[in-house]
Amino acid sequence: MKETKEVFLVPVGNPEAIEHMQRTLTNPVEKREIEGAGVKLPDDLYDNDRIRVWGLLPGKDNANRKIYDKMKERDIAIFVSKNMVYITEIVAKVESENLAERLWGKMDGQTWSLIFFVKLIKHLDMSKRELLKMLNYSEKDQLRGTRRATGKVIEVFGSVENFLAEIIHGSETITNYTIPEWADRELIERIKSAVKIGHVLLYGPPGTGKTTYAKFVAASISGGNFMIKTANSLWFRREVIGGETIEGGTVKWKSGFLIEAYNRASDLGDDQLMFVILDELNRADADKAFGDFFTIFSSNDHDEWQVPEDLANEIAAYGENADDSGKNFVKKYRALKRIGTQNAPLRRIRIIATVNLADINNLYLLGEALLRRFMLIEFPCPGSDKKEKCKGYEGEKTEVEGLEQMRELVKKETESILGKRKLNLNDSVKNLLIECVSNIRCMFLSYYYEKDEDKRTLADFCLSPSTLERAAMILADGMDHSADDVIKAIKMALGTLDRKILNEIDEVKNRCQLRSQTGTQS
């Protein structure tokens, strides 16, 4: 049976705790200081030869020891100060008076010898009161002393995984596995059906919700058992599979995300899946990073996926100079091979990749070898299906049929954003924003039918939901705003310096102001 991940709340309130937080948590401790106290940790636990450390006093009647004894690797420790919250994962435990005294000294003849080492998952600008309220603790609760909070977390969120997904990725991604009202349910079902077969690649303009949908699908199927990696141009085999690295003058093996995913998938049942979300895959150089990927995932049929024997042998050759993930992989792979199931964990892995491309033809810049490993699902710009009904927008017939349909879509998006973000946007500004965004989208769609070649090149422009959200946040000060203010907010939120696009958006100002004044959106 899979061991339950526990959650512990660690208060940081008294002067000593605040000093310790600054000394060894917000500022990681150097490896040489740890080893100087006679404590030896696996090298791969360090980040640039530094690690975050915390310690507990044994306490009266050994109260803290009882808590400490329940802690284990991969449990969650949440450090809570008055106005700050640190979400961390426990990576090791060591009981050492020598290290504790070296780091923090003594208090009343005791030192903080019940030590655990953590890696930072996320730092939140959240107060202690907000966190306790989130977990349904009493308003009178002052959080005095480290405590186990797993029961509260499960009571509120259903599972520790749900809690982590919510607090790390935000309520727009997962709130009891719900997504915005305007989301395309049919698209979600298509992704869910596709990942049962193999890997999936979501492509479309930036800001259309590809990553949000990917997280939702991964979480709703796996119960939060997924990892997220953002690709970049510096990715090599080492980031994906693993490879050689040099630490302290010694050649070592460092595992990539697929090794970690295999290890986690090996702990799952045959009917469970382990998801890896590769965000912005187009930023990586496929030839440099994904060579072994092609060998392991030889097609999009998961029954054909195999782990090369050479990979286990390669890692094993590093011996003690392999990181813990690599050692665990070799151990798990060889144990499973003895019973002929070494490929089972691999076949439980599903990759959902996202690519920011408006044109499917540009996908082939990634290379056909990589694309053959994925099923492709397009994420169109919201409202793009109304292209024909927006035809004629720039002519005499400004109030085209598609514009009214676009208003209904944008209204749903806007109300969902306002509810999610709890934004203070008054009705007149909301109506202006809806009208401006609707007109902008319909105007650009109408350019597909333009004779002017310059305008036809702008037809693929997408005013995405994320742009709408940022614009709403800019305008959400409870004050009245003009159409000019709304257009400026939209342009600020777009993230483009393309003068052609910005000039076209300026043309919408008078139209959206005139329409919004009729009050039809309220």
Side-chain angles (χ1 to χ4, degrees):
M1 182 180 290
K2 190 177 177 182
E3 202 168 15
T4 302
K5 190 190 291 277
E6 301 280 2
V7 178
F8 298 90
L9 300 184
V10 185
V12 183
N14 62 48
E16 291 82 8
I18 293 170
E19 182 182 342
H20 294 180
M21 185 178 216
Q22 294 170 346
R23 167 80 172 84
T24 64
L25 195 66
T26 58
N27 295 296
V29 179
E30 290 188 4
K31 179 180 179 180
R32 63 182 181 179
E33 192 165 2
I34 303 293
E35 295 189 342
V39 174
K40 177 70 175 174
L41 298 174
D43 288 340
D44 64 336
L45 293 186
Y46 290 95
D47 183 7
N48 292 324
D49 285 340
R50 292 175 176 270
I51 194 167
R52 302 174 197 273
V53 193
W54 194 257
L56 302 175
L57 290 167
K60 186 178 180 180
D61 298 325
N62 272 329
N64 282 338
R65 178 175 291 282
K66 294 172 185 176
I67 293 289
Y68 182 75
D69 288 345
K70 293 177 182 177
M71 292 179 173
K72 60 185 183 299
E73 291 180 16
R74 299 192 66 185
D75 282 348
I76 303 300
I78 303 178
F79 294 88
V80 187
S81 67
K82 184 178 180 180
N83 294 305
M84 212 75 74
V85 171
Y86 286 81
I87 312 293
T88 70
E89 181 180 81
I90 298 172
V91 296
K93 289 172 59 181
V94 172
E95 189 170 343
S96 171
E97 291 190 1
N98 189 22
L99 177 58
E101 188 169 354
R102 187 183 185 110
L103 295 176
W104 306 299
K106 284 189 173 185
M107 186 175 76
D108 297 331
Q110 284 190 329
T111 190
W112 293 264
S113 58
L114 307 180
I115 295 172
F116 53 101
F117 301 85
V118 300
K119 69 176 182 181
L120 181 65
I121 297 177
K122 189 158 187 177
H123 161 221
L124 302 173
D125 289 322
M126 176 185 285
S127 69
K128 178 172 74 172
R129 178 46 46 204
E130 287 173 323
L131 179 70
L132 293 178
K133 184 177 180 181
M134 177 191 292
L135 296 178
N136 282 345
Y137 281 103
S138 164
E139 290 187 6
K140 297 180 180 179
D141 198 316
Q142 296 299 310
L143 185 60
R144 301 194 187 282
T146 300
R147 71 173 64 163
R148 177 179 172 274
T150 314
K152 282 286 189 181
V153 166
I154 293 173
E155 175 187 315
V156 175
F157 293 92
S159 71
V160 174
E161 288 75 16
N162 289 2
F163 166 71
L164 291 175
E166 169 77 17
I167 205 162
I168 294 169
H169 305 302
S171 58
E172 72 276 21
T173 304
I174 304 167
T175 308
N176 295 325
Y177 305 144
T178 61
I179 58 173
E181 291 180 7
W182 51 266
D184 188 333
R185 265 59 184 177
E186 182 180 340
L187 188 56
I188 291 171
E189 292 308 315
R190 284 171 57 201
I191 301 170
K192 285 184 175 181
S193 297
V195 296
K196 292 176 182 176
I197 302 169
H199 305 317
V200 175
L201 188 147
L202 312 179
Y203 74 93
T208 48
K210 298 180 294 296
T211 306
T212 294
Y213 278 68
K215 292 174 184 176
F216 172 79
V217 169
S220 62
I221 292 176
S222 71
N225 194 21
F226 63 91
M227 65 175 74
I228 303 174
K229 302 291 179 180
T230 301
N232 63 65
S233 60
L234 300 179
W235 268 18
F236 286 89
R237 176 185 186 256
R238 185 172 61 189
E239 282 69 38
V240 180
I241 308 295
E244 195 169 272
T245 188
I246 298 177
E247 292 182 9
T250 302
V251 177
K252 298 183 178 184
W253 168 271
K254 183 175 179 62
S255 297
F257 64 78
L258 276 181
I259 295 294
E260 183 183 347
Y262 180 98
N263 290 342
R264 289 171 62 172
S266 67
D267 295 329
L268 302 177
D270 289 336
D271 60 343
Q272 295 178 291
L273 295 176
M274 168 67 206
F275 285 88
V276 179
I277 297 172
L278 297 185
D279 207 17
E280 300 186 26
L281 182 63
N282 48 305
R283 293 173 60 189
D285 185 322
D287 292 334
K288 288 192 303 184
F290 291 95
D292 282 7
F293 182 95
F294 301 149
T295 303
I296 293 170
F297 301 109
S298 56
S299 74
N300 205 12
D301 181 355
H302 63 267
D303 288 332
E304 296 180 5
W305 300 345
Q306 295 186 27
V307 180
E309 174 72 22
D310 289 349
L311 179 58
N313 292 339
E314 178 186 0
I315 298 171
Y318 284 85
E320 288 303 310
N321 287 328
D323 62 14
D324 283 354
S325 290
K327 293 174 187 174
N328 288 338
F329 168 78
V330 173
K331 181 179 178 181
K332 290 172 182 289
Y333 173 83
R334 289 181 172 173
L336 291 171
K337 188 180 179 186
R338 286 194 287 271
I339 57 175
T341 59
Q342 70 272 25
N343 294 314
L346 183 70
R347 293 168 184 175
R348 295 183 197 123
I349 296 172
R350 294 293 185 274
I351 294 171
I352 304 179
T354 71
V355 171
N356 285 331
L357 293 173
D359 184 351
I360 190 170
N361 294 318
N362 292 333
L363 277 176
Y364 292 97
L365 295 173
L366 287 172
E368 291 188 37
L370 183 61
L371 292 176
R372 282 198 301 270
R373 273 71 180 177
F374 292 89
M375 283 173 280
L376 309 182
I377 296 180
E378 182 181 9
F379 268 64
C381 189
S384 60
D385 58 331
K386 299 165 179 55
K387 179 166 57 180
E388 288 190 13
K389 293 181 179 180
C390 285
K391 183 179 180 180
Y393 176 91
E394 278 288 274
E396 293 180 4
K397 187 184 175 185
T398 300
E399 188 60 33
V400 292
E401 182 183 359
L403 185 54
E404 186 57 41
Q405 295 176 359
M406 192 71 78
R407 289 187 188 107
E408 289 303 312
L409 173 64
V410 177
K411 184 177 181 181
K412 286 183 179 178
E413 290 180 59
T414 304
E415 290 177 346
S416 177
I417 289 166
L418 297 182
K420 177 188 73 176
R421 291 289 187 185
K422 296 180 174 56
L423 298 179
N424 182 22
L425 202 66
N426 67 42
D427 284 345
S428 63
V429 178
K430 182 180 79 170
N431 291 343
L432 265 176
L433 181 60
I434 292 170
E435 193 63 29
C436 288
V437 170
S438 302
N439 274 268
I440 290 169
R441 284 185 180 171
C442 210
M443 178 182 68
F444 279 102
L445 286 175
S446 75
Y447 290 170
Y448 280 105
Y449 306 98
E450 274 286 340
K451 294 180 181 179
D452 185 331
E453 187 175 344
D454 285 341
K455 286 198 171 182
R456 282 205 309 275
T457 62
L458 300 177
D460 285 326
F461 167 75
C462 177
L463 197 160
S464 68
S466 64
T467 297
L468 173 58
E469 182 171 7
R470 289 194 294 270
M473 293 173 70
I474 292 169
L475 295 165
D477 53 12
M479 299 174 63
D480 285 327
H481 289 284
S482 66
D484 190 48
D485 294 333
V486 172
I487 292 296
K488 285 179 180 177
I490 291 171
K491 289 164 66 175
M492 288 171 62
L494 278 174
T496 181
L497 298 176
D498 189 322
R499 291 307 314 170
K500 290 182 179 179
I501 290 173
L502 297 176
N503 288 339
E504 291 298 315
I505 289 174
D506 281 332
E507 295 298 314
V508 168
K509 180 169 55 180
N510 291 334
R511 291 192 183 114
C512 64
Q513 184 175 33
L514 180 65
R515 172 73 184 191
S516 68
Q517 287 172 349
T518 68
T520 56
Q521 294 298 321
S522 299

